[in-house]
Amino acid sequence: MSDIALVRADGAVRRPAFLPALASVAAAAAWIGLSALVALPPDLGDFGFTRELAIGFAGFGALLLAAGFLHPGEAGLVRRIQGWSPWLVVLAGLLGLWELATAKRAWLPMPFFPPPQAILEVFVEDYARLADSVWHSLRLLAGGYALGALAGFTLGVAIGWSRNVGYWVHPVLRFVGPLPATAWLPLAFFVFPSSGAASTFLVALATGFPVTVLTWSGIAGVNKAYYDVARTLGAREGFLILKVAIPAALPHVFVGLFMGLGSSFAVLVVAEMLGVKAGLGWYLQWAQGWAAYANMYAALAVMALACSGLITLLFRVRDRLLSWQKGLVQW
Amino acid sequence: MVAGLIAPSRAPDSVPAGVPAPVRGAALSLRDVHHAFALRKAPLPVLDGVSFDVEPGAFVALLGPSGCGKSTLLRLVAGLEPPNEGRIAVDGAPLRGPHPSRGLVFQDPTLYPWRSVIGNVAVGPEARGRARAESGRVEEALALVGLSGFSDAFPHQLSGGMAQRVALARALVNAPPLLLLDEPLGKLDSLTRLTMQAELVRLWQDKGFTALLVTHDVEEALMLAQRILVFSDRPARIRADIACDRPYPRHREDPGVVADRRAILDLLGTA
């Protein structure tokens, strides 16, 4: 496709809008400039790790420079770095602005807005506690999400397939489902024996509702002719459910899993802030309590990375399972 | 249940190795079949006392204006719905639901988009729990419709004609003694249509199944069938039962075909 687009009517091959190598060099220059901005003007405060940050930025700039001089050829990594170059230039600009606004000029009030080097310091000094928090959050999320997704999927299939199950479950689902899972929090914390069990339940609840509804609508929307085909070929009910209805509904199920993952993050963080004594939500709360604002930003960054990573993972699984589908949304 | 599905071969010694043995065609009989759609206000009658017999191995076309109820008739014969009234029997036995001995090909290929071509053809054996035992037959059915090279393709990669061939192979893999064809060529372009008409005749001659073809294309009925049942408008009744025993391959310009075509069109035009 893109090859065709590059050939003009007269047959001449059009050059891409910019030279990839040049863009890479520009990005390298931006990061080395950023490094100079961090290293050269004196800090308006006592920050450790200013030197280390400058070295890190300079090192990254040097890498970009090297990528610019390498032949793009078939090397995927080099080409990808070059593709991201415009973004990297903007990123360097934003980091520079942040550095100026905090450490160098103090345009922003100090304890609340720490400079980049303070965040780096948190990562270096407090990585053990951060890693432990990530581990606890992931463990809680995995348990609750798996439970909720499995229950929601099973329930959705049952409602979509059986009129009887639909009759009994549908009203309950309509009444209870839209309630935000966080509303159950006070109740859950005294009903369940431990705050961990309570949070697992809440995460499962938050995941389960969208998964149930989307699975159900997926099953209900299956082309009826698919069943006719299978029945004339000798299929029984088990085959119709497992080999026709469920595969046909999978695209919907994945939308539900995606929505469920989003709401499970929200519940997880709130549960950790209010009851569980571990995890990234707890870390945020703890950092705020000690006025350790740099730690808060660091935890936010880690959380963003973790959530984005999990969504990416879900989309990868979907792309693999639904490779037969055309026009999938790229995450 | 499964053992009875595969009809015994007629003459195993005359069949080249590797080709599924021809099946004996099934006999079909309909007696005074009435059927109506249950609509909200009043039932809408679609079949009004349809009776006919088809002898084993015959190729019969059901011809009629669109929406006259011929497709409903085919669904009843497939066993997907029971008729409101009347009796449908295959080889003397009354119908009890769908059965793999009666293959059905729809106007739309209705392939499962999540299965590859070979996976779609294998639905029949899989549904009967004989996927492993009959994997050879899946390959053969695919070869029969000329798509051996496309086993691993997915339905969205196929043209309309190829998709319909896969649907045909999927129905043939069960070696059904009765093949029900619900305007299977209706949505194909005219060239593909001509090719597939010839292929249907070849498959029918090779396999010996009984074929029941629903169509609203007079010429198609005349090119394929040995007998044409002309239906009235809804509720459908049989208006004419026309024998059509020219040898195959037939030609559109044959004066007999042209005359029959005109006669049938007149019949439909005055309906």
Side-chain angles (χ1 to χ4, degrees):
Chain A
M1 274 288 267
S2 59
D3 287 339
I4 296 167
L6 286 176
V7 180
R8 276 197 313 227
D10 57 4
V13 176
R14 196 151 43 99
R15 291 236 159 250
F18 58 87
L19 282 170
L22 211 66
S24 184
V25 172
W31 282 81
I32 290 165
L34 175 64
S35 164
L37 175 71
V38 174
L40 299 179
D43 288 344
L44 295 178
D46 183 21
F47 301 115
F49 288 85
T50 301
R51 221 166 60 95
E52 286 79 356
L53 188 71
I55 292 170
F57 286 162
F60 187 59
L63 273 178
L64 289 175
L65 199 63
F69 281 113
L70 281 175
H71 189 268
E74 291 307 309
L77 183 66
V78 171
R79 193 183 289 223
R80 264 168 73 182
I81 290 175
Q82 293 180 347
W84 281 107
S85 292
W87 240 111
L88 290 172
V89 171
V90 172
L91 189 62
L94 290 174
L95 284 170
L97 208 62
W98 179 11
E99 179 72 22
L100 270 180
T102 51
K104 305 303 180 192
R105 290 282 177 274
W107 294 328
L108 295 169
M110 195 40 80
F112 308 107
F113 297 97
Q117 46 265 58
I119 311 288
L120 179 64
E121 185 176 2
V122 173
F123 282 131
V124 173
E125 310 257 278
D126 207 24
Y127 74 92
R129 200 186 330 230
L130 267 172
D132 189 56
S133 298
V134 170
W135 165 241
H136 275 96
S137 285
L138 276 182
R139 218 173 44 179
L140 193 55
L141 185 76
Y145 186 74
L147 213 66
L150 202 70
F153 176 73
T154 314
L155 197 61
V157 171
I159 302 174
W161 191 258
S162 155
R163 200 167 292 220
N164 269 329
V165 176
Y167 175 83
W168 291 107
V169 177
H170 187 198
V172 178
L173 199 67
R174 274 179 69 162
F175 182 66
V176 177
L179 197 65
T182 39
W184 292 95
L185 213 110
L187 186 69
F189 276 129
F190 75 73
V191 167
F192 281 89
S194 72
S195 60
S199 310
T200 303
F201 166 74
L202 291 173
V203 170
L205 203 63
T207 309
F209 179 58
V211 174
T212 306
V213 172
L214 268 297
T215 304
W216 165 28
S217 89
I219 298 274
V222 174
N223 183 354
K224 297 291 175 280
Y226 287 164
Y227 298 132
D228 287 345
V229 166
R231 285 172 65 212
T232 57
L233 290 170
R236 312 249 184 128
E237 197 171 9
F239 188 90
L240 295 183
I241 297 176
L242 294 175
K243 298 291 186 91
V244 181
I246 289 176
L250 265 193
H252 276 84
V253 174
F254 269 98
V255 176
L257 287 172
F258 169 69
M259 289 167 58
L261 193 55
S263 47
S264 74
F265 293 155
V267 174
L268 177 73
V269 172
V270 174
E272 285 176 345
M273 282 179 168
L274 294 185
V276 188
K277 294 277 166 278
L280 281 169
W282 166 83
Y283 189 98
L284 276 177
Q285 191 77 350
W286 167 84
Q288 202 246 355
W290 287 95
Y293 295 101
N295 294 59
M296 229 171 66
Y297 290 103
L300 270 178
V302 170
M303 205 183 272
L305 214 64
C307 293
S308 168
L310 287 173
I311 298 263
T312 305
L313 188 70
L314 182 67
F315 273 67
R316 286 277 153 81
V317 172
R318 180 199 65 162
D319 289 351
R320 176 151 293 215
L321 274 176
L322 303 186
S323 57
W324 50 270
Q325 239 193 347
K326 283 195 297 183
L328 285 177
V329 176
Q330 294 300 311
W331 165 255
Chain B
M1 170 189 167
V2 175
L5 305 185
I6 298 106
S9 59
R10 197 163 35 188
D13 47 355
S14 70
V15 176
V19 176
V23 292
R24 193 187 67 83
L28 173 68
S29 112
L30 282 82
R31 280 293 164 276
D32 207 24
V33 172
H34 291 261
H35 197 70
F37 290 138
L39 295 188
R40 236 183 325 160
K41 281 182 183 165
L44 176 72
V46 277
L47 296 175
D48 183 18
V50 176
S51 301
F52 63 89
D53 289 287
V54 177
E55 57 203 80
F59 199 131
V60 177
L62 311 181
L63 187 68
S66 18
C68 79
K70 357 181 243 314
S71 295
T72 307
L73 183 63
L74 220 53
R75 285 180 66 83
L76 299 184
V77 175
L80 290 171
E81 295 167 45
N84 293 155
E85 263 180 65
R87 213 177 85 91
I88 304 176
V90 174
D91 283 334
L95 293 191
R96 272 176 317 191
H99 195 276
S101 65
R102 296 188 300 278
L104 180 55
V105 181
F106 297 92
Q107 184 171 21
D108 288 309
T110 44
L111 301 178
Y112 297 145
W114 58 89
R115 280 176 175 249
S116 64
V117 163
I118 192 104
N120 267 285
V121 178
V123 166
E126 248 180 72
R128 289 181 285 113
R130 296 183 51 82
R132 194 157 307 171
E134 294 181 7
S135 67
R137 283 171 55 164
V138 173
E139 308 270 351
E140 282 159 20
L142 210 50
L144 214 54
V145 296
L147 284 179
S148 293
F150 291 87
S151 322
D152 298 326
F154 277 87
H156 73 260
Q157 299 167 307
L158 303 178
S159 70
M162 286 157 84
Q164 199 55 286
R165 278 166 211 262
V166 177
L168 200 56
R170 179 176 61 183
L172 288 173
V173 77
N174 285 341
L178 176 58
L179 187 63
L180 308 168
L181 302 155
D182 189 0
E183 299 195 36
L185 314 182
K187 285 193 175 166
L188 302 182
D189 64 272
S190 49
L191 268 178
T192 313
R193 211 178 151 112
L194 294 187
T195 327
M196 296 269 304
Q197 285 176 357
E199 272 183 48
L200 270 181
V201 170
R202 174 179 64 80
L203 285 171
W204 166 67
Q205 287 175 327
D206 269 14
K207 301 287 154 201
F209 50 76
T210 306
L212 209 56
L213 169 77
V214 160
T215 180
H216 56 247
D217 181 346
V218 178
E219 201 172 79
E220 184 166 282
L222 282 167
M223 298 311 293
L224 299 181
Q226 295 173 311
R227 185 179 158 204
I228 301 174
L229 298 175
V230 183
F231 282 82
S232 69
D233 244 327
R234 196 180 54 233
R237 222 170 303 171
I238 295 178
R239 298 194 40 160
D241 186 341
I242 299 165
C244 184
D245 42 14
R246 288 181 196 85
Y248 301 90
R250 297 172 178 175
H251 300 283
R252 259 147 261 274
E253 305 79 19
D254 184 325
V257 168
V258 173
D260 278 356
R261 184 164 167 266
R262 189 164 309 132
I264 295 174
L265 281 175
D266 276 349
L267 201 62
L268 288 171
T270 56

